[in-house]
Amino acid sequence: MRRSERKLRDPDLGVLTARLLFAVQDELLATLAEQGHPNLRPPHGAVLAYLDTEGSRATELARRSGQHKQVVGKVVDELEALGYVERRPDPADRRAKLVVPTARGLDQLSRSDAILADIERRHAEAVGADAYAEFKRLFRDVARHQRDWRDQDRAGAGPDR
C-alpha cells in the first residue's frame, strides 16, 4: 500500500489533528466572514484565540499560542491594521505594552466564542455528550503530553539526549 493511501485509510495523530484544525478554521472563518469579519486568516488565531478582553502582553500571547514572539508581533501588526487590536501601555508596567481588542475585536471575540460553542455542541449531539466530553478530556491529555515532550526537548532533556 502506498504511503498516501495508508494516511487516508489509517491517519496518524498529525494528519487527524491537521484535518480537525483546518476544518474548524474553515468553518469559523467562513462564518465570521458572513458576520462581518471577512479579512481574518488562520494565522490571526495565534493572537485572537488567546487574547483577553482587557488586553494581553505579546510575550504572553506567544507563550500561550506556542508561536515565536516575532510571529505574534507580525500578527498583531496585521490585526492592528485591520482594526481588531491596539497597543496600549500596560498600567502594571509602563515599559510594557498590552495588546487590547478594539470594539471590532471584542465583537469578533464574542462571535468566535459563540461559533465554536455551536461547533462543539453539534459534535456532542452527533457522538453523545458523554463521549464528546471524554474525547475532549483525552485530547487535552494528549496535547499536554505532546507539549511536555516539546518543553523537555527545548530544555535539553528530550528522548534523544
Side-chain angles (χ1 to χ4, degrees), residues 3-18:
R3 182 175 185 270
S4 59
E5 292 169 358
R6 189 182 78 241
K7 294 282 187 174
L8 288 172
R9 288 187 188 178
D10 186 22
D12 60 39
L13 180 63
V15 170
L16 287 171
T17 303

Side-chain angles (χ1 to χ4, degrees), residues 12-58:
D12 60 39
L13 180 63
V15 170
L16 287 171
T17 303
R19 285 182 188 171
L20 180 59
L21 171 64
F22 297 150
V24 169
Q25 282 179 337
D26 287 349
E27 183 173 348
L28 174 63
L29 294 176
T31 306
L32 282 169
E34 292 168 2
Q35 296 180 5
H37 298 278
N39 297 318
L40 295 173
R41 298 179 302 106
H44 296 145
V47 169
L48 295 173
Y50 300 96
L51 184 61
D52 290 324
T53 56
E54 66 275 9
S56 305
R57 288 186 183 182

Side-chain angles (χ1 to χ4, degrees), residues 28 32 35 37 40 48-49 105-119:
L28 174 63
L32 282 169
Q35 296 180 5
H37 298 278
L40 295 173
L48 295 173
L106 289 170
D107 181 67
Q108 182 279 332
L109 294 176
S110 175
R111 289 175 185 273
S112 68
D113 287 348
I115 294 163
L116 288 165
D118 284 343
I119 291 170

Side-chain angles (χ1 to χ4, degrees), residues 3-149:
R3 182 175 185 270
S4 59
E5 292 169 358
R6 189 182 78 241
K7 294 282 187 174
L8 288 172
R9 288 187 188 178
D10 186 22
D12 60 39
L13 180 63
V15 170
L16 287 171
T17 303
R19 285 182 188 171
L20 180 59
L21 171 64
F22 297 150
V24 169
Q25 282 179 337
D26 287 349
E27 183 173 348
L28 174 63
L29 294 176
T31 306
L32 282 169
E34 292 168 2
Q35 296 180 5
H37 298 278
N39 297 318
L40 295 173
R41 298 179 302 106
H44 296 145
V47 169
L48 295 173
Y50 300 96
L51 184 61
D52 290 324
T53 56
E54 66 275 9
S56 305
R57 288 186 183 182
T59 53
E60 187 63 18
L61 293 169
R63 187 190 65 74
R64 291 177 189 156
S65 68
Q67 297 292 318
H68 292 284
K69 288 184 282 186
Q70 294 85 349
V71 171
V72 168
K74 182 178 184 254
V75 171
V76 169
D77 290 343
E78 290 176 13
L79 290 170
E80 196 168 30
L82 291 170
Y84 286 93
V85 299
E86 61 187 15
R87 289 177 171 100
R88 293 184 191 161
D90 184 343
D93 181 354
R94 304 298 273 172
R95 298 169 295 170
K97 296 278 187 193
L98 285 179
V99 177
V100 181
T102 61
R104 181 168 178 75
L106 289 170
D107 181 67
Q108 182 279 332
L109 294 176
S110 175
R111 289 175 185 273
S112 68
D113 287 348
I115 294 163
L116 288 165
D118 284 343
I119 291 170
E120 290 204 44
R121 190 172 17 263
R122 190 177 70 231
H123 291 306
E125 287 173 2
V127 301
D130 290 343
Y132 187 71
E134 180 65 4
F135 163 76
K136 280 192 68 177
R137 186 191 68 73
L138 291 169
F139 200 71
R140 273 192 302 269
D141 288 349
V142 170
R144 185 182 66 246
H145 181 71
Q146 188 63 40
R147 279 192 316 270
D148 289 348
W149 178 88

